[in-house]
Amino acid sequence: MAKNGRSRIDLLRDYLTDHVYLIVLLGCGLVLAIFGAATHYLRPAPPKSFEFTSGAPGGAYHRFAAEYKRRLARHGVEMVIKPSSGAVENLVRLRDDNAGVSAGFVQGGIAFTAFKEEGDQADENTLRSLGSMYYEPLWVFYRGAAEIDRLDALRGKRIAIGPVGSGTRKVALDMLELSAVDAANTNMLPLGATEAAEALKAGEVDAVFMVAGASAETVQALLRAPDVRLMSLSQANGYARRLPYLSTVSLAQGVIDFPANVPARDTAMLATTAKLFVREDMHPALVYLLLDVANSIHRTHGLFNDKDAFPSTARQDVPVADEAERYFKSGKPFLQRYLPYWLANLIDRVWVLLVPALAIGVPLVKLFPTLYGLRVNMRVGQWYRQLADLERELGEKPDRVRINELVAELDGIERRINSSGISDMFAQELYALRATIDLVRERLGAPHAKAVPVLRGT
């Protein structure tokens, strides 16, 4: 038993009665804390910046990366461009957990070949493709008056096949191997596009391989250079069958320069595709934004493709990102269609918590009147128990001094009732309680003890 003859259960009940709202508030605070932790750890905010591995300055990769950077800046996202030697180095960076890059261009076929040769599925699972963005045509220029339409005719000559780490070198070596042209019977030079073009015009090499857009300065210069021809590949379909990352394309007669009729005929060519890769852990909101920017840039028609041919998720070297699958099927997320990027992302982050918040919050709000009624009933019950204690003591026939003390206690009870601020909805309970107080006062035999004035509660 606790002091004053009251049990610990009675004391605990009194404590809960006086602190029921505090307990409810603590419960609400705990729920909010759980939601806050879930928001932070389960759906973190997307970063405001990320690194993008591009190609060499002046190349198509770098130019498109610069345009991505400009458009992403409109949404408050900074894209840091890291130039590279080409597609092979881009792939190496993307696979490296310590390189810090999150996205970049990779030439079609390079990733597939790398994973196949190494047999390393773990690295493959770190990358996701957002699709093929545009064709990267392969240009084979050569010197001479005689027309050449097969790569085996280059055996024994000097060929510029691109620097180590470039996508051009990868395509050139794959095609030359099929044509039985290799380093044992041919002089293969690791020259970049600019060096190779100058060497071909100067007669220092006999042919060059070049993966570049039609607008590239080196391509435009060689298309108009004297004694330089663009090879029309008679075996283009065969190469595309053996090297699935290549597609056959045609450069229409005169499309480069109609008055000068460049090229002078329809030219059969091959092309790979520039694929946009991201690391698997890139934030989904940022992936959607990058997809939207890429789609707005690459969906236009070009010399080798119709409008809306790109971006495309067909024939990918690594798994397609889930966000890309949904984007190309249904468009960008609903909120991003109508709201600024930052606001759509904020709502999206808390959306997964809104339903459980309502599921908990609405019943909790509805529970407040019940809790209030419970609290009033518990307090009324507490006062009745105090009055019962007084009556029990009266049964022990206390002396006049003790009776005066009991009268003082009764007055205190009545004061607390009158100042309790209990709502008028419980007036019936309060009047019944005051009537009980009057009965106890009569039993105390203290007519000299005046009733405590009623104090209106707030």
Side-chain angles (χ1 to χ4, degrees), residues 266-301:
D266 289 351
T267 304
M269 299 175 61
L270 289 165
T272 183
T273 54
K275 302 183 187 298
L276 181 56
F277 283 1
V278 298
R279 287 184 60 86
E280 190 273 338
D281 57 0
M282 192 175 189
H283 196 284
L286 206 52
V287 172
Y288 277 120
L289 184 60
L290 187 58
L291 273 166
D292 199 47
V293 167
N295 184 58
S296 66
I297 293 173
H298 299 296
R299 64 181 300 180
T300 59
H301 74 278

Side-chain angles (χ1 to χ4, degrees), residues 106-109 112 128-135 244-247 271-277 291 308-321 324-325 328-329:
V106 176
Q107 183 176 295
F112 176 80
R128 293 291 181 268
S129 175
L130 302 190
S132 302
M133 298 296 125
Y134 60 92
Y135 276 131
Y245 64 86
L246 293 176
S247 300
T272 183
T273 54
K275 302 183 187 298
L276 181 56
F277 283 1
L291 273 166
D308 293 329
F310 293 105
S312 169
T313 56
R315 300 169 66 182
Q316 298 302 304
D317 301 340
V318 299
V320 177
E325 295 280 14
F328 294 120
K329 180 179 180 180

Side-chain angles (χ1 to χ4, degrees), residues 445-456:
H448 59 282
K450 297 181 180 179
V452 177
V454 175
L455 303 177
R456 294 295 297 172

Side-chain angles (χ1 to χ4, degrees), residues 31-32 55 80-81 112 117-118 137 145 163 236 253 296 329 334 346 354 379 415 428 456:
V31 171
L32 291 176
V80 180
I81 298 176
F112 176 80
E117 291 175 352
E118 298 171 18
Q253 179 179 347
S296 66
K329 180 179 180 180
F334 176 79
L346 177 62
L354 183 60
R379 295 187 70 181
R415 258 192 302 272
Q428 182 176 350
R456 294 295 297 172

